[in-house]
């Protein structure tokens, strides 16, 4: 994927990793970056185009696709973590994680795949997690949603190959964002994660493993 001259849409772009994606895409020569967020007024990257979007709302996704009909790169970054377990956790919170971390990105892909096809194929980058491959008490609902996102990423990669759409999955360990603020242990710099992700996207790799911890976890699976 040639980032220079691309037209990108980044979900969850008003903070954390999403904000770094917007900034670095512009720095790398993207011709236009739609910075999507539920509250577009909170987008503060100069040169970005704020776009109102709740990825769990199909009508909002369709409206965004009508506005951003020139997109060649979709970055599915928006996500949530409720700190829920599967057996004892609140079922509504578990559904929220599945809706946001699986159905939301899938809905974006289903809606924007024809847009990308019309614009030459382009690329999709899904921001997934090291927790696609293991579970941990207190965040098991998140792990389940990200395991589903890993499988979905692999599936749509095969389905969209025929229209020349590159699909790259980004996998990372704990990173210094608002989502991880309550956890007291070493964390990745989100700017470093985005740099590695965009390097991998530009190189056309199917998976980007952003840090050593993630690489060790993936290697332990033997796949």
């Amino acid at each position: 994927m040639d980032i220079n001259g691309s037209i990108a849409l980044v979900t969850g772009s008003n903070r954390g990793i999403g904000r770094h994606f917007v900034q670095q895409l512009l720095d790398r020569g993207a011709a236009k970056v739609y910075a999507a967020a539920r509250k577009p007024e909170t987008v503060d990257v100069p040169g970005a185009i704020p776009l109102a979007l709740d990825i769990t709302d199909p009508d909002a996704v369709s409206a965004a696709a009508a506005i951003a009909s020139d997109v060649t790169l979709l970055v599915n970054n928006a996500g949530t973590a409720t700190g829920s377990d599967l057996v004892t956790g609140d079922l509504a919170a578990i559904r929220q994680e599945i809706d946001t971390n699986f159905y939301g990105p899938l809905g974006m892909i289903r809606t924007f795949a024809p847009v990308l096809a019309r614009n030459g194929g382009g690329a999709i980058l899904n921001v997934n997690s090291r927790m696609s491959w293991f579970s941990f008490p207190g965040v098991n609902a998140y792990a389940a949603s990200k395991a589903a996102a890993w499988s979905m990423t692999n599936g749509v990669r095969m389905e969209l190959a025929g229209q020349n759409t590159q699909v790259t999955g980004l996998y990372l360990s704990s990173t210094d964002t608002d989502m991880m603020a309550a956890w007291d242990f070493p964390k990745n710099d989100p700017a470093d994660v985005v740099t590695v992700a965009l390097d991998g996207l530009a190189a056309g790799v199917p998976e980007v493993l952003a840090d050593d911890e993630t690489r060790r976890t993936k290697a332990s699976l033997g796949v």
Side-chain angles (χ1 to χ4, degrees):
M1 172 69 188
D2 188 358
I3 294 172
N4 185 45
S6 66
I7 298 175
L9 187 154
V10 182
T11 66
S13 64
N14 58 323
R15 59 183 183 175
I17 293 173
R19 187 180 187 281
H20 284 281
F21 267 116
V22 172
Q23 185 63 68
Q24 291 194 33
L25 284 165
L26 290 168
D27 291 345
R28 291 186 185 222
K32 185 186 296 185
V33 178
Y34 294 100
R38 285 178 296 175
K39 296 180 179 180
E41 66 274 12
T42 61
V43 172
D44 63 355
V45 177
I49 301 172
L51 180 66
L53 178 60
D54 177 349
I55 65 169
T56 66
D57 180 348
D59 290 338
V61 172
S62 295
I67 294 169
S69 60
D70 50 354
V71 162
T72 61
L73 169 60
L74 171 63
V75 180
N76 277 318
N77 165 73
T80 192
T82 66
S84 299
D85 275 330
L86 295 168
V87 177
T88 59
D90 179 70
L91 194 56
I94 296 169
R95 287 194 174 112
Q96 178 186 339
E97 295 206 45
I98 296 293
D99 284 346
T100 305
N101 298 338
F102 175 76
Y103 282 115
L106 178 58
M108 289 291 294
I109 291 169
R110 288 168 62 94
T111 301
F112 276 88
V115 175
L116 295 171
R118 288 194 300 270
N119 295 329
I124 297 167
L125 176 65
N126 284 346
V127 179
N128 294 330
S129 171
R130 180 172 72 104
M131 293 198 70
S132 297
W133 305 314
F134 79 105
S135 296
F136 189 81
V139 287
N140 279 329
Y142 180 80
S145 72
K146 287 299 186 177
W150 174 45
S151 183
M152 179 266 286
T153 300
N154 294 338
V156 298
R157 180 182 299 117
M158 292 185 289
E159 293 183 30
L160 297 182
Q163 68 171 45
N164 199 35
T165 297
Q166 173 188 331
V167 178
T168 296
L170 169 64
Y171 300 86
L172 59 148
S173 187
S174 56
T175 299
D176 191 12
T177 64
D178 290 351
M179 185 182 292
M180 297 298 300
W183 298 84
D184 185 18
F185 42 62
K187 300 170 187 175
N188 296 323
D189 184 330
D192 293 341
V193 169
V194 171
T195 297
V196 172
L198 293 181
D199 286 348
L201 182 74
V205 301
E207 284 190 350
V208 176
L209 308 182
D211 51 77
D212 289 340
E213 194 170 22
T214 300
R215 285 185 280 272
R216 286 193 295 269
T217 300
K218 180 66 185 295
S220 73
L221 301 178
V223 295

